[in-house]
Amino acid sequence: MNRPAYTVEDVVKLLGVTPRTLHYYEEVGLLEPAARTQGGHRLYGEDTLERLHHILRLKDALGYSLQEIKSILDTEYALDKLKAKYKNNQSAENRDSILEESILEESIRLLEEVLQRVDDKLSRLQTVQKNIRDRLEKIQALRDRTTTTKSHS
Amino acid sequence: MNRPAYTVEDVVKLLGVTPRTLHYYEEVGLLEPAARTQGGHRLYGEDTLERLHHILRLKDALGYSLQEIKSILDTEYALDKLKAKYKNNQSAENRDSILEESILEESIRLLEEVLQRVDDKLSRLQTVQKNIRDRLEKIQALRDRTTTTKSHS
DNA sequence: CATCAAGTGTACGTTGACGTTAGATATGGA
DNA sequence: TCCATATCTAACGTCAACGTACACTTGATG
């Protein structure tokens, strides 16, 4: 699975990052080491593309540091593994369900924390938006008054 | 005007920044050089406090760089000056109204640009919010299933 | 199959936003 | 007046997030 393999050049063009950024993200553990050609060139799968896209959104839109993003993604990754495990274990024995449940609770807690921060940021951003909008309206009114004055003079 | 003068220590305690940050912001032109005591110590007025507060909101909540913040504040400052000028000139001669109008138009353009950027950021942020919310709901559903299973076993 | 843009690892350079240190004043209370 | 802080300027240090240069392979294309 993941047949549609993307080369570095592809990713660069698709997501607007530089090769160096890809290397760096791999270096700090944000991106999985990626598959390689027998010559050593990197090949990325659809999932990695998704992940990178997610990373960029978190970075640009939220201003998170790569460290914070890493912790968020690590959580989500743990969740994915957990979900997979749950599906396989559906009718199997669940001797360590307590452990899994605690991981689940912890994950929920982390996700809620992230969501809380996003919500906060959103409301502050909306405040700023309102401020700017008010300012703009006043200025536009000022302009309208000015041009009106002018046309009647 | 601006009698309630704040010392560096006051600002530090009120807004939670370090003295170095104040110096730095002044260095890059984000803060007006502030008044000084005869000994050279800085004194800030209410307006500077407001401005700094604004700067911190833009930085923390929006993740703007100091450069971007500077350009935004410069725009707003120009607008304030313009509005004051307009008020004074209301019934006076307005020989250079054309010049002022062009400044007005330019200011509106700049403000619209800023607003556009904020709107963009908002929509991206909402996308992220939705993603996280979806994830969280799925996980919670998973937990509910798990606990249900457990209580009936 | 020759070529040459593109990719690789390694490593040092850069930029933004301050932190930290040093050595010399200033300030406000006892 | 004297002293403990607090501030000043100037300069170097730091950390994250890449940029850039180098000497060297890869792999698509004419």
Side-chain angles (χ1 to χ4, degrees):
Chain A
M1 54 180 86
N2 274 334
R3 284 310 91 197
Y6 299 91
T7 158
V8 167
E9 197 180 13
D10 295 337
V11 179
V12 164
K13 285 181 180 167
L14 281 173
L15 295 183
V17 297
T18 70
R20 173 60 179 148
T21 300
L22 293 177
H23 296 169
Y24 183 66
Y25 284 6
E26 192 172 319
E27 200 180 315
V28 297
L30 261 179
L31 252 45
E32 318 147 36
R36 302 291 184 118
T37 71
Q38 87 285 17
H41 285 198
R42 273 165 254 253
L43 289 178
Y44 300 97
E46 200 83 47
D47 52 349
T48 308
L49 264 268
E50 278 295 329
R51 189 179 168 92
L52 182 53
H53 198 189
H54 195 171
I55 291 173
L56 295 178
R57 272 199 312 261
L58 286 172
K59 201 173 86 71
D60 297 339
L62 294 174
Y64 282 140
S65 75
L66 296 187
Q67 265 307 316
E68 295 173 299
I69 294 176
K70 185 161 157 46
S71 84
I72 294 174
L73 291 191
D74 285 353
T75 302
E76 298 193 353
Y77 180 66
L79 286 176
D80 286 342
K81 278 186 69 176
L82 202 60
K83 277 200 279 189
K85 209 169 185 176
Y86 177 75
K87 279 181 184 168
N88 292 343
N89 265 18
Q90 253 181 342
S91 36
E93 6 132 11
N94 52 346
R95 67 175 76 239
D96 43 13
S97 64
I98 298 150
L99 172 68
E100 294 193 359
E101 263 182 54
S102 75
I103 295 179
L104 207 74
E105 292 299 336
E106 172 71 1
S107 302
I108 290 179
R109 205 185 55 69
L110 281 171
L111 257 190
E112 278 172 347
E113 194 181 306
V114 173
L115 184 58
Q116 182 61 49
R117 286 170 63 181
V118 172
D119 287 349
D120 287 356
K121 206 152 219 170
L122 252 174
S123 77
R124 275 180 291 177
L125 198 46
Q126 277 160 350
T127 301
V128 172
Q129 184 193 38
K130 187 174 174 341
N131 283 347
I132 297 179
R133 206 157 259 172
D134 288 353
R135 266 192 116 80
L136 186 55
E137 275 171 23
K138 283 186 191 165
I139 305 295
Q140 282 168 341
L142 178 60
R143 177 191 54 185
D144 292 348
R145 264 180 290 156
T146 307
T147 52
T148 304
T149 303
K150 223 198 155 198
S151 70
H152 109 74
S153 77
Chain B
M1 52 179 85
N2 272 333
R3 285 309 93 194
Y6 299 91
T7 159
V8 167
E9 199 180 11
D10 295 336
V11 179
V12 163
K13 286 180 180 170
L14 282 173
L15 295 184
V17 298
T18 70
R20 172 57 178 152
T21 301
L22 293 176
H23 296 168
Y24 182 66
Y25 284 6
E26 189 173 323
E27 200 180 316
V28 299
L30 261 180
L31 253 46
E32 316 148 39
R36 300 290 185 121
T37 70
Q38 89 283 19
H41 286 198
R42 278 175 240 298
L43 289 177
Y44 300 97
E46 200 81 47
D47 52 348
T48 309
L49 264 267
E50 278 294 328
R51 190 179 166 92
L52 181 53
H53 198 187
H54 195 170
I55 291 173
L56 295 178
R57 272 200 313 263
L58 287 172
K59 199 173 86 71
D60 297 339
L62 294 175
Y64 283 140
S65 75
L66 296 186
Q67 266 306 317
E68 294 174 300
I69 294 176
K70 186 160 156 45
S71 85
I72 292 174
L73 291 190
D74 285 353
T75 303
E76 298 191 354
Y77 181 67
L79 287 177
D80 285 343
K81 279 187 67 175
L82 201 62
K83 275 200 278 190
K85 208 170 187 177
Y86 177 76
K87 279 180 183 169
N88 292 346
N89 263 19
Q90 253 182 343
S91 35
E93 8 137 4
N94 53 345
R95 69 173 76 241
D96 43 13
S97 65
I98 298 150
L99 172 66
E100 294 191 1
E101 264 182 54
S102 74
I103 295 179
L104 207 74
E105 291 298 336
E106 174 72 0
S107 301
I108 290 179
R109 204 185 55 69
L110 282 172
L111 256 191
E112 279 172 345
E113 195 180 306
V114 173
L115 186 57
Q116 181 62 48
R117 284 168 61 183
V118 172
D119 287 349
D120 286 355
K121 207 154 216 167
L122 252 174
S123 76
R124 274 179 295 174
L125 200 46
Q126 278 160 350
T127 301
V128 173
Q129 185 193 39
K130 185 172 173 344
N131 283 345
I132 296 179
R133 206 156 258 171
D134 288 353
R135 266 193 115 81
L136 186 57
E137 276 170 23
K138 282 185 192 167
I139 305 296
Q140 283 169 340
L142 178 59
R143 178 191 53 185
D144 292 347
R145 264 180 291 156
T146 307
T147 52
T148 305
T149 303
K150 224 194 157 202
S151 71
H152 109 71
S153 78

